[in-house]
Structure formats: structure tokens, C-alpha cells
Amino acid sequence: MTDKLQGKVALITGASAGIGQACARALAGEGARLVLTARRQERLDALKEEAESLGTDAVTVTGDAREEETAVRAVKAATEAFGRVDILVNNTGAGNYKNLVDTSADDYDDLIDTNVRSTFLFTRHTVPVMLRQKSGTILMISSMAGIYGFAGEAVYCMTKFAQVGFAQALDRELRESGIKVGAICPGGVKTEFALGKGRTERAVAESHMLDPEDVAGVVLLACTQSPQSRIIEVQMRTMAESLA
């Protein structure tokens, strides 16, 4: 373990798998203390033990990121355990890869609540802590689907564009208070999330998608910028992408 983030506190949503789990490992490896939240307690417990084996501290909060009380409890756990929140990684997300006419109102509600509402809730309850500190880094794990529209993903793209717009607006709103806000926009990543609705495990496994660790590396970069610089947006694509 090195110490680029020694003394910093990172709150990560959707930490039990995929990009969230990889981010937790990357930040803990640089000395960050972790506040981990997701719905699967046993996975959070295992990740907590892993972080502690690296010589850092971690607390867990089990709950649904779409519910405001989960965000409130997570921020409270951070401040009670560590007294601050330096990094918020809004990673919780869901995918739905369907044509519009096959997308129900329930599908829409699920995507909006998971991808947009959770991002709003955790940011809304973390920002007051960062304002008191006059410092902090907030990252939205968006998608290339938040930069370009893709056929068969219209509602998913809608939610990811929302995260990018939210980040851009907050960058202007919070920068003078010493708070950095950015969006990380990867293409497809080999995670449980990639299955979404409309993809198969085999298709994902055989793809040339990014690995979660690729995204975690960019998150770490954004969290270790010098005080006078900030990362606003990063677009990530696999090297195997077609040139056509």
C-alpha cells in the first residue's frame, strides 16, 4: 500500500461488485479509508476485511441506494467513524438494453431511480459535509451512453446523459468551494451490470469490453489530482473497438 490518499475518506456506492468493488480496492491501496454501501452485506463484509488487510479502515452500510435513508445513513456513518468525506463515487447503476417499444414504464422507473435518483441522493447528502470542509471530489460513473445516443438504449442513455449534465452543473456550482466534480464515461465493462436486460453472460464474457480495474484506475487518477487541477470528464473505450 502507498499513501497518495492517506487520511482521505471515500464513500462508494454499489461497492459489492464490478466497478465499485474495483474502486474500493484501488483507493484502499492508496491508503483511503472506506465507507462501502450496497445491498449485499456479505460482499461488503468481505471487502471490508480485504481493505483492513491492506492496513486501512472501512465501514459498511447495507441498503438500497435508491432510498434516501440509505444515503443519510451512509454519510452519517462516514462522519461518525472518520469525521469527514473526501471522495464520493456515485457508482450504483442498472442497464436496460431494449428498443423503446419494448421498454415499459416500470423499466423506465427502475432506470431513473437506480441511475439518477441514487446519484442525486448521495450527492445531496454528501455536499454539505464537503462544503464545511471546503474540499472534496465527487465522481459520477456515467457511460459513453451519456455522451452518445445508442439504438436500443434510449432510456438508459437518458439516465447517463443526466449524470453528465448533473456533473457539469455541479462543477460550476461547487468549484469555488473547493469541491471537484467530474464524470467518468466508460464504454462496456465486464461486470454483472453489463448483463443488464437484453444481454447474455456468454456475450459479455466473449466481448472485448473494459475490465472494472480499467475504470478504477481513472477514478484513482481523478482522486489524486493536485489541488489546482480537476478532471471534468473522461471518455473510455476498449482498444479493440472497430475503426470503421
Side-chain angles (χ1 to χ4, degrees):
M1 185 176 78
T2 57
D3 59 359
K4 290 181 180 179
L5 294 174
Q6 194 70 39
K8 302 295 186 181
V9 177
L11 170 54
I12 303 171
T13 71
S16 62
I19 294 171
Q21 187 180 75
C23 288
R25 288 170 174 154
L27 300 185
E30 293 293 343
R33 295 172 290 177
L34 304 179
V35 181
L36 307 169
T37 181
R39 289 179 293 185
R40 292 176 285 192
Q41 182 66 55
E42 68 283 356
R43 291 197 178 192
L44 292 179
D45 289 341
L47 191 56
K48 178 178 185 294
E49 290 182 9
E50 189 175 336
E52 290 172 344
S53 73
L54 294 173
T56 192
D57 298 316
V59 296
T60 65
V61 176
T62 306
D64 189 332
R66 299 171 296 184
E67 300 297 332
E68 186 169 21
E69 63 92 17
T70 304
V72 171
R73 285 192 293 113
V75 174
K76 183 178 180 181
T79 55
E80 288 184 347
F82 306 123
R84 58 189 301 114
V85 181
D86 299 287
I87 298 162
L88 170 63
V89 181
N90 282 305
N91 169 70
T92 295
N96 189 327
Y97 312 108
K98 295 180 179 180
N99 290 332
L100 180 64
V101 296
D102 297 318
T103 304
S104 68
D106 286 342
D107 291 334
Y108 169 87
D109 288 342
D110 181 63
L111 282 178
I112 290 291
D113 285 350
T114 305
N115 297 349
V116 182
R117 178 179 167 85
S118 69
T119 297
F120 162 74
L121 290 172
F122 275 84
T123 305
R124 169 62 183 83
H125 289 286
T126 299
V127 164
V129 179
M130 292 183 172
L131 287 173
R132 291 194 294 271
Q133 297 167 182
K134 300 187 185 306
S135 67
T137 297
I138 300 170
L139 299 174
M140 321 302 175
I141 305 300
S142 183
S143 170
M144 289 301 293
I147 306 296
Y148 303 102
F150 294 97
E153 302 181 21
V155 177
Y156 176 67
C157 288
M158 179 193 296
T159 66
K160 291 299 174 176
F161 268 81
Q163 286 183 307
V164 171
F166 189 54
Q168 290 177 359
L170 288 180
D171 169 64
R172 291 176 176 266
E173 181 176 327
L174 300 174
R175 195 190 321 155
E176 290 185 354
S177 299
I179 301 170
K180 305 177 184 184
V181 185
I184 312 300
C185 302
V189 184
K190 291 182 179 179
T191 65
E192 295 174 0
F193 168 90
L195 295 174
K197 297 176 182 176
R199 289 178 176 166
T200 66
E201 290 187 20
R202 180 177 178 180
V204 171
E206 293 179 353
S207 74
H208 294 286
M209 290 180 178
L210 299 165
D211 290 318
E213 292 75 19
D214 297 326
V215 184
V218 174
V219 168
L220 179 60
L221 175 64
C223 293
T224 54
Q225 289 290 288
S226 63
Q228 67 267 26
S229 68
R230 74 196 198 281
I231 285 179
I232 303 169
E233 180 180 295
V234 175
Q235 299 181 23
M236 302 178 64
R237 298 301 293 260
T238 172
M239 287 291 286
E241 182 180 13
S242 171
L243 297 178

